[in-house]
Amino acid sequence: MELEEGFRRSIDICSFVQYTVHMAATAAKIANVLSHLREDARLRETVPREDRRLSSGVSSLDVALQGGLPRGRVLELSGPRSSGRLSMAVQLLSAAAARGEWTALIDVSDAFDPRSASLLMMDRLLWVRPRMTFDGFKVADLILDAGGFGLVVLYLCEHPQRERLDWTALALRLKHRAERSQAAVLLVTDVPRAGSVALAGRIHTRSGAYRWRGGLLEKRESEITVEIKHAVSEVPLAFDLSE
Amino acid sequence: MARIACVYVPRFVRQSLLRADPELNGDKLIVHDDRVVLDAGAKLHGVRSGMTLITARALDPRAVYRCTKSGERGGGDALSSAAAALADLAAAFSPRYEVQAGQVLIDVADLCRLFDSEAHIASALTVASRRLRFETKIGIAGNRHTAEVAARSGREGELVSPGREAAFLAPLPIEMLSPSPEVMMLFRRWGVVQIGELANLPERGVAVRLGVEGARLAEIARGECDEPLLCRPQPLLFEESIELEWPVENAEALLFVLRRLTENVIERLICHSLACKRVTLTLGLSNRQKIDRQIELAAPTREMSTLLSLMRLKMESEPPDNAIAWVRLSITPSAARPMQLSFFAPTGPSPDKLATTLARLEAMVGKGRVGAPALVDSHLPDAFSVQPFAPSKKIAPISSIPAAVPRALALHAFRPARIAKVDRDRGRMRFLHADGISGQVIEVGGPYRVRESWWFLPVARDYYDIELSDGAVYRLYQDLHAKGWYIDGCYD
């Protein structure tokens, strides 16, 4: 009887030790996950959201933009055909989507080719295709009113301008909406249109050389001029077709 | 321990009609069936309930007459909508309820875990019924009959403590039990005036003299009747209708009416935590024709302004031929879009707001022009589809975010593709002309051939990338069947 009692007690002690070890391991795992979450939160929240800038995904461009696209501000991106305007806009949308931001592309020209975009970008992209430029601004109003979008791109290139628009007034309205929603707004046009009162800065694109390999287009180079707060910077960028 | 709440709507028919059309003058309203006045307003010249319709019309021809028969001036529809609204009210509190004419009985036994006391349950029921435009009286007791009597006894929220049913009923008049006229006559002969007097009579003697009904009434009077609720699931039918005093022709006047109907339906949807997925407007025209207008929403929503603006757009795009005499609004419900927000990811718009915005955007720019771009299983370079916008909730940890995003050359697509003219010299392309594009060919890449859907609608194209003297690179293709040249985009 005593032997049996001792045996039972030893089994109890063993299972208690096993349970304690298991609990300690679980607690260590939980502590590890929590520390990761804390670190993640610290990295994301060290700067308030409205002060943080949206990175363009290109370090040299981020330097020229003084940290990235400013939230709650309107920037104008303009340039001639084939100068890299759309590639630049898609680049900024991809970079924002990669950081978990919701993005919107208001494509008045109906020109966006989904094959140009990364899968990650398409997952977080709201694509709206209004038919008129003025409707494009109304769509931007609605999207900015909804809030929560990190980057809103209004693409107006190559669209036949049949409407007479007060561009400065429209851009000012866009600026107020952007301030309220804390979204970065990018206005993409053929030529600079919005008055500088409404803009936080301008980006100009110029055509560069094309690279061909084996009879196929490989990449093209663009010259990007960034003009923010009277500081002008030149950034050469190459966009790769194989990507 | 059973606890039953009775939500009683006094003058239910009248309240139903006023709920459907709040513009009606309640003091001048006469509710009638085929022949007899059922309910008369306060400021009428001698018209009373029970009077024949002919007499009532002779006494006050200027009163507002509404018939309860279905199909006549919307009275029947208003009653069925009101009954459905009462069921929705009950469903918002408990799955166990029984709907009767002008009242609903709800099992509230387990609601004490959600509310502090039964008084709070009663006040919540009153608030909810006011939102549905009902003036109600609430009674809560241990059985359904006592709860009914408590609700009708006068006070707004009458609570009968457990075990005190008989004591509560005792001083009340015997008419509150709604006996049949024959039994009521016998009670008068016996001198039974109060319910307590009936409860004190010998059980066996009452059963012998008054039969089944008498025995049942005596059991109710003693507070011992415990008939269960007959819970029947009600169909989720969200319909509201109104017949207009005068036919309307302009959209503004109709929207004014639709606003009221929409408000009623939205309150009912809230009871079930549902949202509107599709709106069907049935319009009865003055030439006795009936037309339907369907509005599909991009995402379920309960926002009034969105629904009204969509209805306005629909009515303006497809106006009816004749003046509108009556309107029925039917809603197809759907679950509101659920979303769990992340702790660390940037927050998007709230699901409700996003749904509303998407619906508004689609109303503004057209169907299929709002959403998330998606690739389709095709070899054609310009093949794509637009899917409903529903961003993934998964967020990559900050450590996995790439420092640099690959820079891809994007194509500015021309939709539709522009017809081009290609000048060739000894097999080589020399010049290219198209609408808004002209230049000497500097460099040519390709061709790369694409063949697609040979089994259905054969497409065969040779694609080229062409650099022109204007400094741009275009994507050009030759349709091998039609032998035509097209530019479908420019690398930008």
Side-chain angles (χ1 to χ4, degrees), chain A residues 109-131:
Chain A
S109 319
D110 195 4
F112 174 62
D113 176 23
R115 284 180 192 254
S116 311
S118 63
L119 286 175
L120 183 64
M121 171 190 156
M122 291 212 286
D123 187 41
R124 308 205 134 245
L125 176 69
L126 172 63
W127 185 26
V128 190
R129 295 180 290 160
R131 290 187 174 88

Side-chain angles (χ1 to χ4, degrees), chain B residues 345-358:
Chain B
T347 51
S350 69
D352 267 4
K353 219 164 187 182
L354 178 66
T356 308
T357 307
L358 291 178

Side-chain angles (χ1 to χ4, degrees), chain B residues 425-446:
Chain B
D425 181 20
R426 275 174 269 171
R428 284 179 62 88
M429 293 184 196
R430 293 293 177 199
F431 285 95
L432 186 70
H433 310 276
D435 180 22
I437 301 162
S438 180
Q440 191 181 354
V441 176
I442 307 290
E443 187 80 44
V444 179

Side-chain angles (χ1 to χ4, degrees), chain A residues 136-150:
Chain A
F137 280 94
K138 285 205 281 188
V139 167
D141 262 14
L142 281 176
I143 290 174
L144 291 170
D145 267 353
F149 283 85

